[in-house]
Amino acid sequence: MRTKSDNGVISARAISGTRVVILGLDFKGYKPPAAPSSLPEKKSTMNLKSKNEETRQNKKSGLKVKNSSRVKFIGFFISRTDLESNETVALNPDGKPIQKFVWGDYNLIPGREYEYKISRMTTGRGFLSFATKLVTYGSPLDVRITTEDPNKGTHGIFFNRGVAGSHAYMQKFGEYRKWHLVSKYGIPIMRNIINPRNIPPPEKSKEALGWLSRGLEEALLEFLSQASGSKFQLRAAVYEFTHKETLQALADAVERGVDVKVIRHCKGVHHPTVKRNNIVRDEHGKVVTEWIPDTTTAEATKAIEQIGKPNSLERLRLTVTDYPNRNISFYLGFQSLEHAHTWHRDTFIERRHSSALMHNKFIILLENGIPKQVWTGSTNFTDGGIYGQSNVGHIVRDADVAGRYLSYWKALSLDPPGRSRVRSSHSNDSDNESSDSSVDKQEPIDDLIEKEQPDLDGPLSSNSMVCIFSPRKTTKMLQFYADRMKGAKTCVHFTAAFGVSSQEIAHVLNETEMKRSSETNTAQDGLRRSPRLANRNGDVTGTGENADRSLFIQSEADNNPFLRYVLLDKQPSEHSSTKARASAADKGEDYVDYFDFKDVRENRIAYGSVLADEENGLTEDLTGLTSFADFIHLKCMLIDAITDHPTVITGSANFSAASTDKNDENMLVIHGDCAVADVYFTEYMRLFNHFHSRDNHSKSKDSPKKKTLKWGETVEDESWLHPYFDPTNQLCRERLLLR
């Protein structure tokens, strides 16, 4: 939902998702200090009108002002009222002013109506006292908005907490912080973590798991529980598959008579068999080999067998509670040996002949053989996917979309080769018994996929939803995604969990606004004008300081600022960048990466991190549940998300070449659905602001030349305003974008 409110002095644009509201605030009549002499001051009737309105409000509120029509503005005071429970809470941390123009409320209930009251704050003196205190002044601005209900309509979108390494997690469960042996990139290491599974009191462990899941696990289990009897079928395709609650929910469905079939990633390599330090050979002298599964396959096999083993038949009741009046109960084990045999022998289909990874994470719900709904998104069915790194589960209640997923699932269930022999020189099929003649005769799945849905090209149809499955014959879809990014009018929000490996997308991120606005308006030397390339020619800004400032001011005048947000799991390595750049140079290719586009003024970049400021008592720890991506695992791209024509691209693929023409993957391209865009936008900004604030704190703490404010510290003057009204600052663009 979107709404705007304005009282003549301050204004607010509110956008709500399911559990988050983002407020884009603005303050009229503020004059930035020390404007450059080269930029003549323009008189504004709007500013004069705003000042008159502010003077009127100040008199009305009884605030006395000496020799000035404007009071010192040191921040906002915001309160929220839940209009269902009539409970009002002040949202200012420790009563301090909120010194931001883009602010988020992250602890809301889906499907509720809320009212925000927004006031300005200043310093004043108490009665019969010379001590200063913070007071509000002027008429408050009222904003009413309703959060989205994910249990209604076509789309149900569920994000987990995704910020396990947070101050709130430490405050809630920090007493259970311990050293554990965890796996990182397959290597066992010791880490000081708060593992929610290992918290001793069961009720605290349950609380921690629920806090981290934030409705994602509960929604998944409820989705599965809809298959309530023999008339239902569940069809799943999974990559990592060890989350015991999900496995048990599927086992429970088997007990209810539901027809359950799960295609799972199954890869490995053939190693020579060794006994007593000797390689074993058969009677003909040929080396005897044995198939060794990869870690993902081995861990899933172990988890599946743990459910199906006879010694698991003891009853252990677990309960997960979602919203009020909802209760999901399940048990470990089976009621009968027949059910155990069904689970172990007839439920799972091994996907051995994919070109690379069977990377899907979707489940289809059918009733009487007719597809009804599909669960998809970025969430692996693991503890790390649900309680650790940031992820989304996306339910689509649309028979046509579910039918397309079912057609794809049926093709996968035959375990065809991922790509034809001519195109699959780098395939792992040789390690997965690909010499099987029955596999050789099958049509490669990329042919089947592109018959169903060719690569997209050109503008999207309004109010459309397109399913894109992989592997595909080429990586042309990456160019389509890059073209959507390039054609954005107001903003881009992009996640790259494992870095920006697509050169098509990297080149777009390397473009400045001058390049965007006119393809023919290039510099005299013909270089792309990113700061990195501009520095090579002695021009830090690429277009000159005055031109740079004029460009921002023109954007403000046109009310058309532009920003690209990029959210990474970790800060890229310069060593890796140097190697990749050298490799590209050897091939004669033009290579662009993070170190080229990180300083482009249109790009606002954050990467996963935790506070590590022991001096001020600010340390944050993770759960230790993830082996690769600790922070960001989302795969989404939002184009013009806050306009009336947004595009949301979401699913399992990492916007990489491998995820496009090798892996088994699925993506949704949703155009024109503002409700879907609002949920993704608000959750994206929640995550981005969380990590960006930590990145900035770490950078400023490590810089001896920069004065560092303590975490959460505010100022008592108007210096906090300056970046938001400085046309050369990204915060100014963000204010203009969201006002």
Side-chain angles (χ1 to χ4, degrees):
M1 182 179 178
R2 305 172 183 185
T3 186
K4 286 186 177 181
S5 187
D6 191 330
N7 68 5
V9 177
I10 54 176
S11 63
R13 180 185 190 182
I15 302 175
S16 67
T18 52
R19 295 174 179 269
V20 176
V21 165
I22 297 295
L23 294 176
L25 305 171
D26 202 11
F27 174 53
K28 301 173 184 178
Y30 177 73
K31 180 181 177 182
S37 58
S38 59
L39 297 172
E41 182 180 350
K42 294 174 67 176
K43 292 184 179 180
S44 170
T45 56
M46 177 60 73
N47 284 350
L48 180 60
K49 182 179 178 181
S50 300
K51 288 181 179 180
N52 292 337
E53 174 64 20
E54 182 176 30
T55 303
R56 184 188 67 78
Q57 289 189 15
N58 291 341
K59 289 180 179 178
K60 186 177 179 181
S61 63
L63 192 67
K64 296 181 180 180
V65 183
K66 270 191 174 183
N67 303 325
S68 172
S69 63
R70 196 173 70 76
V71 178
K72 181 172 65 174
F73 174 34
I74 62 166
F76 294 100
F77 177 85
I78 303 177
S79 66
R80 178 192 70 216
T81 301
D82 182 332
L83 296 180
E84 182 174 316
S85 65
N86 206 31
E87 179 184 1
T88 299
V89 293
L91 301 174
N92 292 52
D94 300 323
K96 297 176 181 178
I98 293 172
Q99 296 182 336
K100 297 178 180 179
F101 278 88
V102 177
W103 178 84
D105 189 3
Y106 305 142
N107 297 294
L108 304 177
I109 298 172
R112 288 282 186 96
E113 185 179 13
Y114 295 94
E115 181 179 67
Y116 293 89
K117 286 191 179 293
I118 306 165
S119 303
R120 289 163 291 157
M121 297 187 76
T122 189
T123 53
R125 296 189 184 279
F127 183 66
L128 298 178
S129 171
F130 292 102
T132 60
K133 65 175 185 177
L134 299 174
V135 295
T136 61
Y137 69 101
S139 299
L141 179 68
D142 296 338
V143 181
R144 283 196 178 193
I145 196 163
T146 302
T147 52
E148 300 289 342
D149 187 345
N151 298 298
K152 296 179 180 178
T154 302
H155 297 274
I157 305 167
F158 302 86
F159 281 77
N160 66 349
R161 185 78 54 180
V163 289
S166 68
H167 199 48
Y169 189 56
M170 283 292 295
Q171 287 180 322
K172 287 177 175 290
F173 310 106
E175 62 184 296
Y176 305 108
R177 179 188 189 196
K178 291 183 178 180
W179 288 95
H180 290 78
L181 185 65
V182 300
S183 174
K184 190 63 182 171
Y185 300 107
I187 302 171
I189 60 173
M190 293 298 295
R191 270 194 171 182
N192 206 0
I193 59 173
I194 309 171
N195 187 326
R197 290 283 192 194
N198 294 340
I199 292 177
E203 65 279 3
K204 292 299 290 186
S205 176
K206 178 183 173 182
E207 180 187 350
L209 293 170
W211 190 86
L212 292 166
S213 166
R214 193 170 166 264
L216 176 62
E217 177 188 53
E218 296 83 348
L220 171 59
L221 298 179
E222 185 168 339
F223 178 86
L224 295 173
S225 72
Q226 293 178 99
S228 57
S230 58
K231 68 177 182 178
F232 290 95
Q233 301 83 41
L234 291 169
R235 299 290 181 262
V238 301
Y239 176 51
E240 293 181 328
F241 191 56
T242 58
H243 182 244
K244 62 183 181 182
E245 287 82 359
T246 301
L247 272 78
Q248 189 59 53
L250 289 168
D252 286 348
V254 169
E255 284 194 311
R256 295 193 297 268
V258 179
D259 179 12
V260 179
K261 294 288 185 291
V262 179
I263 303 170
R264 69 183 186 98
H265 169 89
C266 192
K267 285 285 188 179
V269 294
H270 286 89
H271 282 302
T273 303
V274 178
K275 286 186 178 180
R276 295 174 183 166
N277 296 325
N278 293 317
I279 295 176
V280 177
R281 299 177 183 271
D282 62 17
E283 57 186 2
H284 302 291
K286 186 177 179 180
V287 174
V288 176
T289 62
E290 57 181 333
W291 187 73
I292 307 297
D294 65 14
T295 302
T296 299
T297 304
E299 290 180 349
T301 300
K302 181 179 178 180
I304 291 166
E305 290 177 348
Q306 197 65 35
I307 296 293
K309 282 182 178 178
N311 61 8
S312 294
L313 295 179
E314 61 225 305
R315 315 301 290 180
L316 174 60
R317 184 179 179 87
L318 301 173
T319 302
V320 177
T321 303
D322 186 6
Y323 305 117
N325 304 320
R326 294 191 182 186
N327 200 28
I328 304 167
S329 300
F330 49 89
Y331 299 85
L332 296 181
F334 293 96
Q335 292 179 353
S336 72
L337 191 60
E338 180 184 356
H339 290 134
H341 286 169
T342 300
W343 172 261
H344 192 66
R345 298 174 182 176
D346 300 328
T347 299
F348 296 96
I349 301 168
E350 295 180 345
R351 177 75 168 117
R352 289 176 172 254
H353 297 101
S354 58
S355 295
L357 303 178
M358 211 303 297
H359 200 242
N360 287 302
K361 314 146 198 323
F362 69 80
I363 306 170
I364 310 160
L365 174 68
L366 301 90
E367 185 175 1
N368 295 322
I370 300 172
K372 297 290 187 179
Q373 304 176 23
V374 63
W375 168 285
T376 185
S378 65
T379 308
N380 283 313
F381 303 102
T382 63
D383 282 2
I386 292 173
Y387 312 124
Q389 63 205 185
S390 62
N391 276 304
V392 63
H394 190 140
I395 299 172
V396 182
R397 306 179 183 98
D398 182 281
D400 180 63
V401 170
R404 292 177 183 274
Y405 271 82
L406 181 60
S407 296
Y408 177 53
W409 185 92
K410 287 179 177 178
L412 289 174
S413 70
L414 300 175
D415 194 22
R419 307 170 74 199
S420 66
R421 292 288 174 196
V422 175
R423 294 191 301 277
S424 60
S425 58
H426 299 292
S427 171
N428 291 331
D429 288 349
S430 60
D431 293 330
N432 290 275
E433 302 173 4
S434 61
S435 58
D436 187 339
S437 61
S438 63
V439 174
D440 291 336
K441 293 176 183 178
Q442 291 187 53
E443 184 178 6
I445 198 168
D446 60 352
D447 290 332
L448 296 170
I449 287 170
E450 296 206 9
K451 285 178 183 177
E452 286 286 323
Q453 176 60 63
D455 290 334
L456 296 178
D457 187 25
L460 292 164
S461 301
S462 58
N463 301 317
S464 61
M465 180 161 42
V466 182
C467 305
I468 299 296
F469 300 115
S470 297
R472 309 186 72 79
K473 294 178 182 296
T474 69
T475 60
K476 288 181 181 178
M477 278 304 300
L478 291 177
Q479 188 59 57
F480 171 82
Y481 300 142
D483 289 343
R484 302 286 75 70
M485 182 183 283
K486 187 171 184 173
K489 304 299 182 185
T490 59
C491 55
V492 172
H493 297 79
F494 175 57
T495 63
F498 299 97
V500 184
S501 62
S502 162
Q503 284 299 291
E504 295 89 342
I505 292 174
H507 276 80
V508 174
L509 292 173
N510 202 37
E511 292 184 357
T512 66
E513 192 158 28
M514 283 295 193
K515 177 79 173 177
R516 272 177 21 86
S517 61
S518 174
E519 288 295 325
T520 58
N521 184 19
T522 56
Q524 291 182 358
D525 57 12
L527 288 173
R528 188 185 298 105
R529 306 305 292 174
S530 76
R532 182 170 178 149
L533 295 174
N535 285 340
R536 298 173 189 172
N537 295 287
D539 182 1
V540 175
T541 63
T543 55
E545 183 179 353
N546 291 338
D548 182 61
R549 186 173 175 85
S550 298
L551 181 63
F552 274 83
I553 289 178
Q554 183 64 37
S555 293
E556 178 167 3
D558 293 344
N559 196 29
N560 188 34
F562 179 81
L563 278 175
R564 287 182 294 243
Y565 294 80
V566 181
L567 189 51
L568 308 172
D569 179 65
K570 62 181 180 180
Q571 188 173 19
S573 158
E574 287 200 60
H575 176 70
S576 298
S577 173
T578 301
K579 287 177 62 177
R581 197 175 301 279
S583 176
D586 291 341
K587 299 174 185 176
E589 298 173 351
D590 183 18
Y591 180 80
V592 172
D593 68 7
Y594 166 84
F595 294 98
D596 293 300
F597 61 69
K598 70 182 180 69
D599 294 321
V600 171
R601 63 191 171 210
E602 289 80 25
N603 296 339
R604 192 158 166 76
I605 301 174
Y607 43 83
S609 61
V610 294
L611 288 174
D613 188 357
E614 294 187 10
E615 182 180 344
N616 293 304
L618 292 170
T619 57
E620 298 174 339
D621 291 301
L622 297 173
T623 60
L625 299 173
T626 51
S627 295
F628 295 96
D630 283 333
F631 302 98
I632 304 299
H633 193 252
L634 285 170
K635 298 94 169 54
C636 69
M637 180 187 292
L638 317 180
I639 307 298
D640 295 329
I642 57 176
T643 70
D644 293 334
H645 306 284
T647 300
V648 174
I649 304 167
T650 183
S652 69
N654 283 302
F655 299 98
S656 65
S659 70
T660 306
D661 69 353
K662 291 183 177 63
N663 294 351
D664 297 344
E665 306 270 11
N666 72 96
M667 297 292 276
L668 290 171
V669 181
I670 305 167
H671 181 64
D673 193 319
C674 292
V676 170
D678 290 350
V679 176
Y680 274 86
F681 167 76
T682 54
E683 294 288 351
Y684 185 102
M685 292 302 293
R686 174 180 69 88
L687 293 167
F688 186 92
N689 290 337
H690 175 89
F691 291 118
H692 193 266
S693 63
R694 281 150 178 77
D695 299 341
N696 278 348
H697 184 74
S698 296
K699 289 174 185 175
S700 60
K701 184 172 67 73
D702 295 338
S703 174
K705 296 181 180 179
K706 192 171 183 180
K707 181 183 177 182
T708 305
L709 289 174
K710 292 182 179 180
W711 182 258
E713 187 179 358
T714 58
V715 297
E716 293 191 2
D717 56 31
E718 292 190 336
S719 60
W720 74 276
L721 285 166
H722 300 170
Y724 291 98
F725 290 87
D726 174 5
T728 63
N729 196 300
Q730 284 186 337
L731 291 175
C732 180
R733 283 198 168 203
E734 189 174 63
R735 175 182 66 84
L736 297 173
L737 183 67
L738 289 167
R739 68 179 180 179

